[in-house]
Amino acid sequence: MTSVLDLAPVIPVVVLDDAADAVPLARALVAGGLPAIEVTLRTPAALDAIRAIAAEVPDAMIGAGTVLTADAVIDSAKAGARFLVSPGWTDALLRAMQVSGVPFLPGVSTASEVVALLERGVTEMKFFPAEAAGGTAYLKSLAGPLPRARFCPTGGITAESAPSYLSLPNVGCVGGTWMLPPDALAAKDWDRVESLAREASTLSLSRRS
């Protein structure tokens, strides 16, 4: 498939407590123009949610986030995840992701971590936690000495700050939750989610302008 970083300008980062919400939520995000969806492995419902989206929302590019172990890599791939995202990495986790055959974004927050991944042939990464780790200024400072590295910044990014990240040459997309307000999810207001997703999807247009 195409690079995970090029699927959409924004990857919604989803935490689901009820797998029954997975399909309508994914359909709303896809209808709003955000087909790449990261379901984090933070709840017992996560793998069932990934499985349901993979089976019932063919236009979604479903991914698994907060992947921390080799077992989580295997379980996510079996559930139908088409990409993997981790908040950090170890050699063991990296090997498991490479062996899986599924595209992945290992997390980094320092220049040394980026260099270590580049040494291992990995050029696409998650920058996390983006705002706490230095934000756009930090990523801009990495572009000169480490031009091969490309990032999906995630963590504290908002609708207002996303364009400044997307304007950077070493950023392919951003991860965020602002199109998933808790009150809308609690009310199962999928129309509102779709509307917010549509607004987020237009960031790709502003980036090209």
Side-chain angles (χ1 to χ4, degrees):
M1 74 176 204
T2 186
S3 164
V4 175
L5 298 181
D6 298 325
L7 293 173
V10 179
I11 297 179
V13 180
V14 179
V15 180
L16 284 172
D17 293 310
D18 187 349
D21 291 337
V23 168
L25 175 60
R27 286 175 175 158
L29 292 171
V30 171
L34 299 180
I37 302 167
E38 175 188 335
V39 173
T40 65
L41 303 183
R42 300 181 191 178
T43 68
L47 288 173
D48 285 338
I50 291 170
R51 196 173 291 112
I53 295 170
E56 299 184 45
V57 192
D59 292 333
M61 183 69 69
I62 183 64
T66 320
V67 176
L68 302 177
T69 65
D71 285 343
V73 170
I74 295 169
D75 292 342
S76 298
K78 285 182 178 178
R82 299 175 67 183
F83 65 92
L84 308 170
V85 184
S86 65
W89 66 278
T90 64
D91 280 322
L93 179 58
L94 186 65
R95 281 194 298 272
M97 290 192 290
Q98 290 171 323
V99 169
S100 75
V102 179
F104 58 89
L105 296 173
V108 297
S109 60
T110 69
S112 294
E113 292 170 326
V114 176
V115 171
L117 283 177
L118 291 173
E119 284 184 348
R120 291 159 173 80
V122 179
T123 60
E124 298 187 346
M125 312 165 195
K126 171 179 177 173
F127 179 61
F128 176 83
E131 286 290 285
T136 55
Y138 192 88
L139 284 171
K140 188 181 296 184
S141 71
L142 293 181
L146 302 170
R148 290 192 299 132
R150 296 181 70 218
F151 302 95
C152 173
T154 305
I157 297 176
T158 65
E160 291 72 31
S161 63
S164 62
Y165 281 94
L166 290 168
S167 70
L168 299 176
N170 55 350
V171 169
C173 63
V174 300
T177 62
W178 72 86
M179 74 297 300
L180 303 164
D183 58 337
L185 299 187
K188 304 185 190 302
D189 189 349
W190 311 128
D191 288 340
R192 183 179 173 200
V193 171
E194 180 181 339
S195 177
L196 291 171
R198 186 169 291 108
E199 291 175 8
S201 72
T202 65
L203 293 174
S204 61
L205 300 176
S206 63
R207 186 178 186 182
R208 291 196 295 266
S209 62

